[in-house]
Amino acid sequence: MSVPAISEGGTVLAFLNEVAGGRKLLNAIRERVGAGAGHVVLAAPQNQPEAGQIVDAEEIYEAALSRLEVTQAVLDAFGIEATATVLDPDPSLALDDAVRAFRPAEILISCLAETRFGFARKDLIEWARARFEAPVEHIPVRIEDDAVRWDVTHTLVVATQTVNAPDLVERLIARHRERPHRYTFVCPASGDAPREEVCDRLAATLAAVYRAEIDATGQPMSPEPFAAVQNAIEHYRVDDILISTFAGRSSKWLEEGLIDRVKEITDKPVEHFESTGGGEPLAGAAASRPEGATV
């Protein structure tokens, strides 16, 4: 993919529809900044996450905010500052508002390959290309070849308080070195861990695996653990599942029989990883959180 010329100081708009952007979006933004872009804006509509059954309006808003915060923190880890905003629930209206507000030199739309909207089922990418003067680039959340590349193992990682534990991150990187992996993280509510801290922890892990050139995406807000696994199995390709909890500590997930319940609904291998300790959240990740105002 060639990088279009961007006038010095121009704005790149990254539109996160349904999911948090992955390594491909990170690389695309880094290329644009290297080519002269002066501003990066992240925008997300308040729509339903791909693997979720969130119906409460406040939860949907917080899910969109979490997508932005995780992506913003990952960019920060690579030395890129970005502003962010939560927008209208309808993707077309949200994108329209973002383009009018920020007048980008280029629009990057991070979404699933089959993203659709509206009664006519009109393609969001083609609609945007026809509507806006700025170039529109589709940045697939999952590489198109992934579904047919059987040399890549797709692991669903269910972790919240341990999601950036050093031993878990090391385990994931070691797995990839043995055989190419792609990771999908879901982080259900766990104990008293605040949403902002979960976003920071997930961002730290995504940054670490991206540095190891491993593809991964994450859902920083998901339903309770069992429902999150059910939804992910339905929406994503999953070859195996890794559920992480702290070693030697009481765990509500284990008390509720999460491991056995997951094994009952899938024939995929399920690993219980017991982490010896958590890591520090990404330094400075909370310093530039989105204001959350609708444009």
Side-chain angles (χ1 to χ4, degrees):
M1 177 180 65
S2 61
V3 179
I6 298 178
S7 60
E8 191 69 28
T11 296
V12 173
L13 170 66
F15 187 77
L16 311 181
N17 190 50
E18 299 176 343
V19 284
R23 186 166 68 102
K24 194 169 184 182
L25 177 64
L26 168 66
N27 290 339
I29 291 175
R30 293 177 76 188
E31 288 175 349
R32 271 63 179 182
V33 171
H39 301 93
V40 176
V41 175
L42 307 175
Q46 298 176 60
N47 55 9
Q48 186 80 355
E50 171 65 9
Q53 291 179 343
I54 299 174
V55 293
D56 181 81
E58 183 177 351
E59 290 183 354
I60 290 176
Y61 171 83
E62 290 192 345
L65 186 62
S66 296
R67 293 200 297 274
L68 291 171
E69 289 181 351
V70 168
T71 305
Q72 192 175 30
V74 169
L75 290 175
D76 184 68
F78 286 84
I80 298 173
E81 292 186 5
T83 56
T85 186
V86 178
L87 298 165
D88 191 279
D90 182 89
S92 59
L93 293 178
L95 184 54
D96 218 21
D97 287 344
V99 171
R100 284 204 318 271
F102 300 107
R103 301 186 181 277
E106 186 182 11
I107 304 164
L108 306 178
I109 301 180
S110 175
C111 64
L112 305 171
E114 297 302 320
T115 291
R116 304 283 174 174
F117 73 96
F119 296 110
R121 311 294 286 176
K122 191 175 181 181
D123 182 81
L124 176 62
I125 309 300
E126 292 307 314
W127 174 86
R129 286 173 176 160
R131 183 170 181 80
F132 305 121
E133 293 183 6
V136 174
E137 184 70 40
H138 177 209
I139 309 294
V141 174
R142 295 189 287 276
I143 310 301
E144 281 91 338
D145 306 305
D146 277 2
V148 295
R149 281 193 58 192
W150 295 107
D151 61 319
V152 176
T153 299
H154 290 239
T155 297
L156 174 67
V157 181
V158 186
T160 301
Q161 296 196 44
T162 64
V163 71
N164 73 324
D167 53 357
L168 174 60
V169 175
E170 290 169 5
R171 172 72 176 135
L172 299 179
I173 293 174
R175 273 176 156 229
H176 176 74
R177 287 173 178 159
E178 294 170 2
R179 173 186 170 89
H181 272 66
R182 194 184 200 294
Y183 296 109
T184 298
F185 294 86
V186 292
C187 302
S190 177
D192 297 326
R195 184 190 62 79
E196 294 84 357
E197 181 180 313
V198 174
C199 289
D200 287 348
R201 290 183 177 277
L202 175 58
T205 294
L206 290 175
V209 298
Y210 293 163
R211 289 192 179 97
E213 298 187 352
I214 302 171
D215 284 310
T217 55
Q219 181 53 266
M221 247 192 110
S222 61
E224 58 89 16
F226 184 66
V229 174
Q230 285 182 307
N231 295 339
I233 290 173
E234 178 181 351
H235 288 95
Y236 302 137
R237 171 183 157 185
V238 174
D239 296 320
D240 62 5
I241 301 167
L242 185 152
I243 300 173
S244 176
T245 63
F246 282 119
R249 301 191 197 179
S250 62
S251 167
K252 186 177 179 182
W253 293 3
L254 300 183
E255 291 170 0
E256 295 177 347
L258 178 62
I259 308 293
D260 291 335
R261 293 176 69 195
V262 170
K263 288 180 178 178
E264 289 174 358
I265 63 169
T266 181
D267 58 357
K268 306 298 183 184
V270 179
E271 175 185 347
H272 177 207
F273 182 85
E274 295 184 275
S275 170
T276 58
E280 290 298 320
L282 187 64
S288 56
R289 293 193 182 284
E291 296 179 0
T294 301
V295 174

